[in-house]
Amino acid sequence: MKANNRFRTTCSSFDYEPDIRQFPEGTKTALDAAAAVGCTVAQIVKSLVFIADDHAVLLLVSGKNRVDENKIKQLLNVSKVSIAEPETVRAQTGFAIGGTPPFGHVQQIPTLMDEDLRDFDEVWAAAGTPNSCFPISPGELLEITGATLAEVKREKK
Ligand code: 5CA
């Protein structure tokens, strides 16, 4: 099954219907996605898998922010935090980097959500492929993922 349909099918199992939009120009990165959608980069949700000690954790991060690994260590009370390898992302979520959606994964991953995403009525996330996105309210994103809101960003120098 194509990745968009896999995402849609998994979402239907919990009664969510993503409004998936296709962007042939590509949405592989947050910058690409913002340009395609016509929104600010801050409104793009990056869905990033990290490994905290031995466990996967999903970080939903505003496109304008970079993750501060030290903050994640403190939040999760672990000693090591690093971004997952591409094959780990695929194994944990069922989707490839560049198209990883924020939920609808092959298994539920404990999730932290960047509090900055709450600045908007609507944010946009990947829908399973590197050329599709869907809009969602931060409240709904929080509810579906069961995420913990957190300050995850690296302070800008
Ligand atoms: N479709 C867009 C917007 S929703 C998207 O998926 N953006 S993303 O930020 O969630 O996915 C790209 C991210 O994947 C990059 O920010 C980067 O953190 C990560 N990434 C890219 N290449 C690698 C790699 N080789 N290993 C680990 N992570 C990577």
Side-chain angles (χ1 to χ4, degrees):
M1 201 191 284
K2 293 237 171 67
N4 281 142
N5 290 334
R6 259 193 309 118
F7 176 57
R8 195 186 289 288
T9 303
T10 317
C11 286
S12 68
S13 71
F14 46 91
D15 279 338
Y16 181 72
E17 272 185 53
D19 176 13
I20 300 176
R21 315 274 181 87
Q22 301 294 334
F23 298 98
E25 62 270 45
T27 56
K28 198 168 192 296
T29 67
L31 278 174
D32 295 341
V37 167
C39 66
T40 64
V41 72
Q43 272 173 282
I44 299 296
V45 182
K46 299 192 281 191
S47 303
L48 306 175
V49 179
F50 278 74
I51 302 296
D53 284 348
D54 292 336
H55 300 285
V57 55
L58 179 70
L59 267 60
L60 305 180
V61 185
S62 165
K64 73 179 162 77
N65 290 338
R66 293 202 60 194
V67 170
D68 184 334
E69 284 90 349
N70 283 323
K71 285 185 182 164
I72 308 304
K73 274 193 217 170
Q74 284 170 10
L75 281 163
L76 301 177
N77 195 23
V78 296
S79 55
K80 219 176 127 195
V81 165
S82 57
I83 194 145
E85 297 291 335
E87 51 272 28
T88 307
V89 176
R90 194 183 272 282
Q92 289 289 332
T93 68
F95 298 92
I97 282 173
T100 313
F103 50 76
H105 303 144
V106 287
Q107 56 199 315
Q108 175 102 35
I109 310 169
T111 306
L112 296 176
M113 178 169 147
D114 184 345
E115 60 184 11
D116 287 358
L117 289 169
R118 283 195 308 177
D119 291 348
F120 307 99
D121 293 336
E122 185 179 81
V123 294
W124 289 75
T129 71
N131 44 33
S132 63
C133 289
F134 69 103
I136 187 166
S137 71
E140 206 161 21
L141 186 56
L142 196 60
E143 194 181 310
I144 293 175
T145 57
T148 303
L149 272 175
E151 190 193 305
V152 300
K153 66 168 177 275
R154 208 177 280 190
E155 295 305 330
K156 302 215 165 79
K157 288 186 189 133

